[in-house]
Amino acid sequence: MKTTTVLALTASLATGTAFAQQLEEIVITARKTEERLQDVPISVTAFTSEALADAGARDIYDLTRLTPGFSFERINRYGVQGGVSRPVIRGMSNILGEGNASVFVDGILYSDSILSFPFDIVERVEVIKGPQAALFGRSTFAGAINLVTKKGGGEPENKLSVRAAQYGDYEGNFLSRGTIKEDTLFYMFHARYYTFDGMYRNTLDGDKVGDEESTNFDGSIEYRSGGAFSAIVGAGYSEDDDGLAAAVLQDRFANNCYLNSLRQYFCSPVQERDSVTLDRAALQGTEGLNRDSNRLSAQLTWDFDSFQLVSNTGRFHTEQEYGYDSTYQGATAFGTTTVPGAIGYTRLTTDPVRSQGVNRNEVTERTEWSTELRLQSSPDVRLRWLGGLFYYKNARSLEERHFVATAPTVFSGETQVENKAAFGSLGFDLTDRWELTGELRYARDRIGNLKTIPSTVLIEQTFESWSPRVTTTFKITPANMVYLNFARGIKPGVINADPRFPPELLFAGEERAWSYEIGTKNTFLDNRLTLNADVYFIDWINQQITSSYTFPTGGTQSYIRNAGKSEVKGLELELEAALTDALSAGATFAYTDAKFQVLDDAEALNLFGNLSLEGKRLPGVPKTQGSVFAKLKFGLPAELRGSLRGDYSYTGKKYDQIYNLADTGDQSLVNLTFGIDGERWGATVFVRNLTDERSTSSVTRYVDQLNLNVPQYVNANPAQNNIAGSTTLERAFFYPLAFKRQFGVTLNYRF
């Protein structure tokens, strides 16, 4: 993204003469009350349902190309390791454990993978940047993503929409909203069916991988009495049935640097691939994701003359099985005791390929429940206040099942989280232009693991924290402001629940960070141009990072430990303009400088001859991101309306690990849409990834379990066998295959 783009848009506005419309004004709830986006002294990127549809966004992953400072790992809809979603906001990344930013649905924490949540019922998305613990609570160390669902309304709405695209991509949605009892009771109902055949094939059986299927039902009932009390009760059910992930392993023979080290490495972007190699047969019909989930929520509100009482409660439950080949290279299909190319070699009895423990079916059940009660003043008074109590409980069980007697089930028990908190805020208008707000949250987390096999064992720790945030805002004019905020973020400790870990690895401590932000929000030309910008600095200590442990009985497992210190510096820019009555455009840009300041690592000593990784970039974080879009609207015969939109997004390379060697490569995506709308119907022809960009969205350091460090007679590079007799597994790298270019059409009918 170049500055000239911003200048060109501004110049076009300055010389334009035909203005017929203003930009849409967005109201958000990032501070637990309704406020105009342009009045909130926090960096927030918000999308209405119309903007989401306009950009062709199907899920949160699509929002990463439109939101500065926001990225998201996508291996498949199971999530990443541990089956959770890990959004990355402002460079605060992690590879294992809970994400540093969390997703909420109507203010209720949604810990499971969010990728199958139906965007057709989303009224608004708010990507809130910086620590949000003071008001949103736990797991908002770097920020929060809040999805606000559509509710019932007085005006009846019925909408049927379908999508048909290449690679067997079909989706149908039905949405109905309206009145049950006039002016009192309202409803929303939604049903969805989605199926996708996948874009790549498995070399071992020729079948497709990456296929997905979902069925969703969602609804809500809203009561408005016309008096003080109102209530909204919502529910949702989803069923997902996905195949093997379209993920590949780049084996050790591609390694091209540090060949004299024990584990060797790969430098530069990982290779593009056109297929995967996975042992589907060994999974005995359990391959892929099978998940059933349901959610319930209830928000009760009492409005009085000078204050409001709000209760927000929700429950989420999911049961799932995820079967996968953890070698990502079909290792067991090539023989469990032999190594390709190593004539006469027999794998050791402790080798996980020989035991077939690498073919796994992870069976999990998660139940989480939260409730918040808050009392808050009217937002229109000079002295504003808010106070509340919060309770959260999460229980997640995990079994790692295998398919032969040599690989028994690993019972990781039930990981339990209990959080109790009290929070409050106080805001005061010092003058008619100058505002000061302070927020504070006290939280107590009890984190543990309960195992009942082979005997009952409970291990747990308690973590306490105080999370403040102070914000000051100065209005230069009613439409232009500057703000300053600083906040302390706390991420609770974490348990490494695998029972094979030694006691000293069972827990990692809490993380802490101070975040400082200066920003400005501006509206010009009678709300036809918005320009928002911010710069920030994050001082981050005791960071939770990923390490690998080799068990004495064979095999390896990743775990979480605490590192030293990191710093993140960055800037973000958002610009949107109504250039004429027919043409609108926008641009975003983010620069993120996220580096370790203090971090020692044993493998770094082996690679570089130095324990210290000072100055290395954090993994999974692009240094630069940017996007531009333009949309042209025009009239057509028969009172039809047409539109043409183009989107370009750029994401810089992301490193796989703390060593900054292997990376994803830069990614550039181009999307085009052409739409026609009538009074009740609409049609859109689209192409996603016009240039067929194949750079992957993420890459993870791994091990090559198929090709051991024994004489490889088929290896064209003898240097890759340089460590004679080593029992250390060389590095490999796994990553999802990119979505190919795709053409399709969407149709919708309103009645």
Side-chain angles (χ1 to χ4, degrees), residues 723-736:
I723 309 295
S726 170
T727 59
T728 300
L729 295 175
E730 280 84 359
R731 287 301 183 196
F733 304 87
F734 88 85
Y735 44 94

mmCIF file with all atom_site columns, all heavy atoms in Angstrom, residues 723-736:
data_model
loop_
_atom_site.group_PDB
_atom_site.id
_atom_site.type_symbol
_atom_site.label_atom_id
_atom_site.label_alt_id
_atom_site.label_comp_id
_atom_site.label_asym_id
_atom_site.label_entity_id
_atom_site.label_seq_id
_atom_site.pdbx_PDB_ins_code
_atom_site.Cartn_x
_atom_site.Cartn_y
_atom_site.Cartn_z
_atom_site.occupancy
_atom_site.B_iso_or_equiv
_atom_site.pdbx_formal_charge
_atom_site.auth_seq_id
_atom_site.auth_comp_id
_atom_site.auth_asym_id
_atom_site.auth_atom_id
_atom_site.pdbx_PDB_model_num
ATOM 1   N N   . ILE A 1 723 ? 24.782 -35.501 9.883  1.00 0.00 ? 723 ILE A N   1
ATOM 2   C CA  . ILE A 1 723 ? 24.964 -35.884 11.280 1.00 0.00 ? 723 ILE A CA  1
ATOM 3   C C   . ILE A 1 723 ? 24.780 -37.388 11.394 1.00 0.00 ? 723 ILE A C   1
ATOM 4   O O   . ILE A 1 723 ? 23.674 -37.897 11.506 1.00 0.00 ? 723 ILE A O   1
ATOM 5   C CB  . ILE A 1 723 ? 23.978 -35.139 12.196 1.00 0.00 ? 723 ILE A CB  1
ATOM 6   C CG1 . ILE A 1 723 ? 24.038 -33.646 11.936 1.00 0.00 ? 723 ILE A CG1 1
ATOM 7   C CG2 . ILE A 1 723 ? 24.272 -35.446 13.654 1.00 0.00 ? 723 ILE A CG2 1
ATOM 8   C CD1 . ILE A 1 723 ? 25.371 -33.012 12.284 1.00 0.00 ? 723 ILE A CD1 1
ATOM 9   N N   . ALA A 1 724 ? 25.874 -38.099 11.363 1.00 0.00 ? 724 ALA A N   1
ATOM 10  C CA  . ALA A 1 724 ? 25.813 -39.560 11.375 1.00 0.00 ? 724 ALA A CA  1
ATOM 11  C C   . ALA A 1 724 ? 25.296 -40.066 12.720 1.00 0.00 ? 724 ALA A C   1
ATOM 12  O O   . ALA A 1 724 ? 25.750 -39.641 13.777 1.00 0.00 ? 724 ALA A O   1
ATOM 13  C CB  . ALA A 1 724 ? 27.191 -40.137 11.091 1.00 0.00 ? 724 ALA A CB  1
ATOM 14  N N   . GLY A 1 725 ? 24.342 -40.991 12.667 1.00 0.00 ? 725 GLY A N   1
ATOM 15  C CA  . GLY A 1 725 ? 23.853 -41.628 13.876 1.00 0.00 ? 725 GLY A CA  1
ATOM 16  C C   . GLY A 1 725 ? 22.958 -40.769 14.736 1.00 0.00 ? 725 GLY A C   1
ATOM 17  O O   . GLY A 1 725 ? 22.591 -41.161 15.844 1.00 0.00 ? 725 GLY A O   1
ATOM 18  N N   . SER A 1 726 ? 22.569 -39.585 14.271 1.00 0.00 ? 726 SER A N   1
ATOM 19  C CA  . SER A 1 726 ? 21.720 -38.706 15.074 1.00 0.00 ? 726 SER A CA  1
ATOM 20  C C   . SER A 1 726 ? 20.327 -39.297 15.212 1.00 0.00 ? 726 SER A C   1
ATOM 21  O O   . SER A 1 726 ? 19.783 -39.875 14.274 1.00 0.00 ? 726 SER A O   1
ATOM 22  C CB  . SER A 1 726 ? 21.633 -37.329 14.422 1.00 0.00 ? 726 SER A CB  1
ATOM 23  O OG  . SER A 1 726 ? 20.654 -36.551 15.064 1.00 0.00 ? 726 SER A OG  1
ATOM 24  N N   . THR A 1 727 ? 19.764 -39.166 16.406 1.00 0.00 ? 727 THR A N   1
ATOM 25  C CA  . THR A 1 727 ? 18.381 -39.608 16.636 1.00 0.00 ? 727 THR A CA  1
ATOM 26  C C   . THR A 1 727 ? 17.408 -38.430 16.639 1.00 0.00 ? 727 THR A C   1
ATOM 27  O O   . THR A 1 727 ? 16.241 -38.585 16.954 1.00 0.00 ? 727 THR A O   1
ATOM 28  C CB  . THR A 1 727 ? 18.278 -40.352 17.978 1.00 0.00 ? 727 THR A CB  1
ATOM 29  O OG1 . THR A 1 727 ? 18.708 -39.469 19.031 1.00 0.00 ? 727 THR A OG1 1
ATOM 30  C CG2 . THR A 1 727 ? 19.141 -41.599 17.983 1.00 0.00 ? 727 THR A CG2 1
ATOM 31  N N   . THR A 1 728 ? 17.907 -37.251 16.304 1.00 0.00 ? 728 THR A N   1
ATOM 32  C CA  . THR A 1 728 ? 17.069 -36.046 16.272 1.00 0.00 ? 728 THR A CA  1
ATOM 33  C C   . THR A 1 728 ? 16.340 -35.957 14.935 1.00 0.00 ? 728 THR A C   1
ATOM 34  O O   . THR A 1 728 ? 16.942 -36.115 13.881 1.00 0.00 ? 728 THR A O   1
ATOM 35  C CB  . THR A 1 728 ? 17.933 -34.793 16.480 1.00 0.00 ? 728 THR A CB  1
ATOM 36  O OG1 . THR A 1 728 ? 18.584 -34.883 17.742 1.00 0.00 ? 728 THR A OG1 1
ATOM 37  C CG2 . THR A 1 728 ? 17.079 -33.538 16.446 1.00 0.00 ? 728 THR A CG2 1
ATOM 38  N N   . LEU A 1 729 ? 15.049 -35.693 14.994 1.00 0.00 ? 729 LEU A N   1
ATOM 39  C CA  . LEU A 1 729 ? 14.258 -35.558 13.771 1.00 0.00 ? 729 LEU A CA  1
ATOM 40  C C   . LEU A 1 729 ? 14.515 -34.201 13.125 1.00 0.00 ? 729 LEU A C   1
ATOM 41  O O   . LEU A 1 729 ? 14.421 -33.162 13.775 1.00 0.00 ? 729 LEU A O   1
ATOM 42  C CB  . LEU A 1 729 ? 12.769 -35.705 14.083 1.00 0.00 ? 729 LEU A CB  1
ATOM 43  C CG  . LEU A 1 729 ? 12.302 -37.076 14.599 1.00 0.00 ? 729 LEU A CG  1
ATOM 44  C CD1 . LEU A 1 729 ? 10.830 -37.018 14.964 1.00 0.00 ? 729 LEU A CD1 1
ATOM 45  C CD2 . LEU A 1 729 ? 12.543 -38.149 13.565 1.00 0.00 ? 729 LEU A CD2 1
ATOM 46  N N   . GLU A 1 730 ? 14.829 -34.222 11.852 1.00 0.00 ? 730 GLU A N   1
ATOM 47  C CA  . GLU A 1 730 ? 15.051 -32.964 11.137 1.00 0.00 ? 730 GLU A CA  1
ATOM 48  C C   . GLU A 1 730 ? 13.740 -32.200 10.983 1.00 0.00 ? 730 GLU A C   1
ATOM 49  O O   . GLU A 1 730 ? 12.655 -32.776 11.006 1.00 0.00 ? 730 GLU A O   1
ATOM 50  C CB  . GLU A 1 730 ? 15.670 -33.224 9.755  1.00 0.00 ? 730 GLU A CB  1
ATOM 51  C CG  . GLU A 1 730 ? 17.164 -33.474 9.796  1.00 0.00 ? 730 GLU A CG  1
ATOM 52  C CD  . GLU A 1 730 ? 17.488 -34.922 10.110 1.00 0.00 ? 730 GLU A CD  1
ATOM 53  O OE1 . GLU A 1 730 ? 16.547 -35.708 10.315 1.00 0.00 ? 730 GLU A OE1 1
ATOM 54  O OE2 . GLU A 1 730 ? 18.672 -35.267 10.149 1.00 0.00 ? 730 GLU A OE2 1
ATOM 55  N N   . ARG A 1 731 ? 13.900 -30.901 10.763 1.00 0.00 ? 731 ARG A N   1
ATOM 56  C CA  . ARG A 1 731 ? 12.737 -30.039 10.640 1.00 0.00 ? 731 ARG A CA  1
ATOM 57  C C   . ARG A 1 731 ? 12.035 -30.223 9.298  1.00 0.00 ? 731 ARG A C   1
ATOM 58  O O   . ARG A 1 731 ? 12.656 -30.388 8.258  1.00 0.00 ? 731 ARG A O   1
ATOM 59  C CB  . ARG A 1 731 ? 13.153 -28.577 10.796 1.00 0.00 ? 731 ARG A CB  1
ATOM 60  C CG  . ARG A 1 731 ? 13.515 -28.191 12.226 1.00 0.00 ? 731 ARG A CG  1
ATOM 61  C CD  . ARG A 1 731 ? 12.361 -28.431 13.158 1.00 0.00 ? 731 ARG A CD  1
ATOM 62  N NE  . ARG A 1 731 ? 12.640 -28.018 14.527 1.00 0.00 ? 731 ARG A NE  1
ATOM 63  C CZ  . ARG A 1 731 ? 11.919 -28.397 15.565 1.00 0.00 ? 731 ARG A CZ  1
ATOM 64  N NH1 . ARG A 1 731 ? 10.891 -29.220 15.395 1.00 0.00 ? 731 ARG A NH1 1
ATOM 65  N NH2 . ARG A 1 731 ? 12.204 -27.975 16.780 1.00 0.00 ? 731 ARG A NH2 1
ATOM 66  N N   . ALA A 1 732 ? 10.723 -30.179 9.388  1.00 0.00 ? 732 ALA A N   1
ATOM 67  C CA  . ALA A 1 732 ? 9.865  -30.096 8.215  1.00 0.00 ? 732 ALA A CA  1
ATOM 68  C C   . ALA A 1 732 ? 8.863  -28.977 8.501  1.00 0.00 ? 732 ALA A C   1
ATOM 69  O O   . ALA A 1 732 ? 8.858  -28.405 9.596  1.00 0.00 ? 732 ALA A O   1
ATOM 70  C CB  . ALA A 1 732 ? 9.168  -31.423 7.958  1.00 0.00 ? 732 ALA A CB  1
ATOM 71  N N   . PHE A 1 733 ? 7.989  -28.670 7.541  1.00 0.00 ? 733 PHE A N   1
ATOM 72  C CA  . PHE A 1 733 ? 7.094  -27.526 7.690  1.00 0.00 ? 733 PHE A CA  1
ATOM 73  C C   . PHE A 1 733 ? 5.743  -27.870 7.086  1.00 0.00 ? 733 PHE A C   1
ATOM 74  O O   . PHE A 1 733 ? 5.677  -28.328 5.950  1.00 0.00 ? 733 PHE A O   1
ATOM 75  C CB  . PHE A 1 733 ? 7.694  -26.290 7.010  1.00 0.00 ? 733 PHE A CB  1
ATOM 76  C CG  . PHE A 1 733 ? 9.063  -25.961 7.537  1.00 0.00 ? 733 PHE A CG  1
ATOM 77  C CD1 . PHE A 1 733 ? 10.190 -26.554 6.985  1.00 0.00 ? 733 PHE A CD1 1
ATOM 78  C CD2 . PHE A 1 733 ? 9.226  -25.133 8.625  1.00 0.00 ? 733 PHE A CD2 1
ATOM 79  C CE1 . PHE A 1 733 ? 11.454 -26.308 7.488  1.00 0.00 ? 733 PHE A CE1 1
ATOM 80  C CE2 . PHE A 1 733 ? 10.484 -24.885 9.146  1.00 0.00 ? 733 PHE A CE2 1
ATOM 81  C CZ  . PHE A 1 733 ? 11.603 -25.464 8.583  1.00 0.00 ? 733 PHE A CZ  1
ATOM 82  N N   . PHE A 1 734 ? 4.678  -27.688 7.883  1.00 0.00 ? 734 PHE A N   1
ATOM 83  C CA  . PHE A 1 734 ? 3.358  -27.964 7.316  1.00 0.00 ? 734 PHE A CA  1
ATOM 84  C C   . PHE A 1 734 ? 2.562  -26.677 7.197  1.00 0.00 ? 734 PHE A C   1
ATOM 85  O O   . PHE A 1 734 ? 2.730  -25.730 7.961  1.00 0.00 ? 734 PHE A O   1
ATOM 86  C CB  . PHE A 1 734 ? 2.633  -29.051 8.111  1.00 0.00 ? 734 PHE A CB  1
ATOM 87  C CG  . PHE A 1 734 ? 1.805  -28.591 9.277  1.00 0.00 ? 734 PHE A CG  1
ATOM 88  C CD1 . PHE A 1 734 ? 0.494  -28.176 9.092  1.00 0.00 ? 734 PHE A CD1 1
ATOM 89  C CD2 . PHE A 1 734 ? 2.321  -28.609 10.564 1.00 0.00 ? 734 PHE A CD2 1
ATOM 90  C CE1 . PHE A 1 734 ? -0.273 -27.771 10.170 1.00 0.00 ? 734 PHE A CE1 1
ATOM 91  C CE2 . PHE A 1 734 ? 1.559  -28.208 11.640 1.00 0.00 ? 734 PHE A CE2 1
ATOM 92  C CZ  . PHE A 1 734 ? 0.259  -27.787 11.444 1.00 0.00 ? 734 PHE A CZ  1
ATOM 93  N N   . TYR A 1 735 ? 1.671  -26.679 6.194  1.00 0.00 ? 735 TYR A N   1
ATOM 94  C CA  . TYR A 1 735 ? 0.919  -25.463 5.899  1.00 0.00 ? 735 TYR A CA  1
ATOM 95  C C   . TYR A 1 735 ? -0.301 -25.823 5.057  1.00 0.00 ? 735 TYR A C   1
ATOM 96  O O   . TYR A 1 735 ? -0.319 -26.841 4.357  1.00 0.00 ? 735 TYR A O   1
ATOM 97  C CB  . TYR A 1 735 ? 1.786  -24.441 5.157  1.00 0.00 ? 735 TYR A CB  1
ATOM 98  C CG  . TYR A 1 735 ? 2.638  -24.996 4.028  1.00 0.00 ? 735 TYR A CG  1
ATOM 99  C CD1 . TYR A 1 735 ? 2.193  -24.990 2.710  1.00 0.00 ? 735 TYR A CD1 1
ATOM 100 C CD2 . TYR A 1 735 ? 3.892  -25.534 4.294  1.00 0.00 ? 735 TYR A CD2 1
ATOM 101 C CE1 . TYR A 1 735 ? 2.975  -25.485 1.687  1.00 0.00 ? 735 TYR A CE1 1
ATOM 102 C CE2 . TYR A 1 735 ? 4.689  -26.043 3.272  1.00 0.00 ? 735 TYR A CE2 1
ATOM 103 C CZ  . TYR A 1 735 ? 4.224  -26.013 1.972  1.00 0.00 ? 735 TYR A CZ  1
ATOM 104 O OH  . TYR A 1 735 ? 5.008  -26.531 0.963  1.00 0.00 ? 735 TYR A OH  1
ATOM 105 N N   . PRO A 1 736 ? -1.346 -24.999 5.136  1.00 0.00 ? 736 PRO A N   1
ATOM 106 C CA  . PRO A 1 736 ? -2.531 -25.243 4.307  1.00 0.00 ? 736 PRO A CA  1
ATOM 107 C C   . PRO A 1 736 ? -2.292 -24.779 2.879  1.00 0.00 ? 736 PRO A C   1
ATOM 108 O O   . PRO A 1 736 ? -1.577 -23.796 2.642  1.00 0.00 ? 736 PRO A O   1
ATOM 109 C CB  . PRO A 1 736 ? -3.610 -24.389 4.982  1.00 0.00 ? 736 PRO A CB  1
ATOM 110 C CG  . PRO A 1 736 ? -2.837 -23.261 5.602  1.00 0.00 ? 736 PRO A CG  1
ATOM 111 C CD  . PRO A 1 736 ? -1.520 -23.843 6.026  1.00 0.00 ? 736 PRO A CD  1
#
